[in-house]
Amino acid sequence: MTTGEWRHGMNGSDAMDAEFDTVAEWTAEVAESLGPEYRIPAACRGSGRPSALDWLLAGLGLRPGDVMIDIGAGLGGPSAYAAERTGVQPILAEPEFDACRAAARLFGAPVVQADATALPFADGAASHAWCLGVLCTASGPDAQRTMLRELHRVLRPSGRAGLLVFLATRDRLDNPPEGNHFPSRAQLSALLREADLTETAAADPASLPAPPVSWQERTDAVDHELRRRFGDAPPLLTALEQSRKIGELLHSGELVSQVIQLRRPD
């Protein structure tokens, strides 16, 4: 799967359920069968290249023992990557049951089944958070606004957060994937202001270094094994179609991706 699979379906569409519940469970099964070194690359599939995660981690300023909430965590690969490199203590929030179960099995991190618009955490629960590819899965601007306000709420004053977002460059997209709602850059900036989140830096993931060869080989092996085992299964076919549509929109320039560093004001 490609970067088109950044999401964690909060709007309940059949395509989203297939992509981020059933296929997530199958991906975990494949990673476990291939070996421990495949787990993080497999669980980061659709979560961008390692260099994008490194760029966000550098901006978040994480220290060992810091608590970080991963909103829409999927299989938990990015959180496991962060924990391995910084010693952060991630807490995962993910709406899909099978993805929650698979993340707990793969990495043993605390995980709660929860929607990004109604997080079960106290105000100021964490010094850090990130929300990777989730915003475009909201049902529309109101839900996106609620999601960002929840991100603000669970951060401590001066807390830092990271986003990965897909942004529309035109009003109407050709053949968009089911269940996704892409804000423009201007709309995202307005939503961040309304949520009282300050943007401190942004980058295009495509401009960052490519994944290491070993990482790419492992994700390719996971892709191959998924197709070998489940290639004719409707959930995988649906997920691949969703991914193909976003890939085409990125190639045409109708969508762009950005990683963004945020700060909650004091």
Side-chain angles (χ1 to χ4, degrees):
M1 301 180 195
T2 71
T3 51
E5 292 176 345
W6 281 87
R7 111 59 231 129
H8 301 85
M10 59 167 284
N11 58 16
S13 75
D14 290 342
M16 294 298 220
D17 289 343
E19 190 173 359
F20 299 107
D21 200 23
T22 306
V23 175
E25 178 72 15
W26 292 346
T27 301
E29 291 176 13
V30 166
E32 287 179 309
S33 71
L34 291 174
E37 68 273 22
Y38 288 84
R39 293 189 180 197
I40 290 179
C44 282
R45 290 165 66 258
S47 300
R49 56 187 67 196
S51 57
L53 299 178
D54 290 336
W55 185 89
L56 285 172
L57 291 173
L60 292 177
L62 293 160
R63 297 171 297 181
D66 284 347
V67 173
M68 183 181 75
I69 298 174
D70 187 342
I71 302 169
L75 286 173
S79 282
Y81 184 94
E84 189 175 87
R85 279 153 181 75
T86 69
V88 68
Q89 296 182 357
I91 299 173
L92 282 55
E94 164 57 41
E96 302 290 357
F97 174 76
D98 284 348
C100 289
R101 182 172 60 183
R105 191 171 77 239
L106 284 175
F107 303 115
V111 56
V112 295
Q113 187 176 6
D115 192 283
T117 61
L119 296 171
F121 306 118
D123 296 357
S127 56
H128 300 83
W130 64 19
C131 185
L132 305 179
V134 181
L135 197 68
C136 66
T137 70
S139 57
D142 289 343
Q144 291 170 341
R145 186 176 297 108
T146 301
M147 187 184 295
L148 291 171
R149 286 175 174 168
E150 277 292 273
L151 173 58
H152 175 278
R153 183 185 65 78
V154 300
L155 282 175
R156 297 173 189 165
S158 299
R160 298 181 184 182
L163 292 181
L164 183 135
V165 292
F166 288 100
L167 301 171
T169 62
R170 51 187 282 188
D171 292 338
R172 281 186 167 274
L173 302 179
D174 292 332
N175 197 26
E178 180 183 339
N180 286 268
H181 300 270
F182 302 102
S184 68
R185 191 59 173 89
Q187 289 167 339
L188 175 63
S189 296
L191 288 168
L192 292 173
R193 286 194 299 271
E194 291 174 24
D196 195 22
L197 291 167
T198 300
E199 181 178 329
T200 58
D204 176 0
S207 70
L208 300 172
V213 172
S214 60
W215 179 284
Q216 190 62 55
E217 288 175 346
R218 288 166 187 164
T219 58
D220 288 346
V222 171
D223 283 340
H224 174 79
E225 188 64 12
L226 269 173
R227 291 172 187 264
R228 188 187 71 80
R229 296 187 189 186
F230 308 108
D232 294 329
L236 183 59
L237 294 175
T238 298
L240 292 173
E241 178 65 8
Q242 290 281 93
S243 179
R244 183 190 67 79
K245 289 180 178 180
I246 292 191
E248 288 181 351
L249 292 172
L250 288 167
H251 181 73
S252 71
E254 295 175 61
L255 286 182
V256 295
S257 62
Q258 284 196 327
V259 279
I260 299 173
Q261 297 168 9
L262 304 171
R263 180 178 175 274
R264 174 180 167 169
D266 295 340

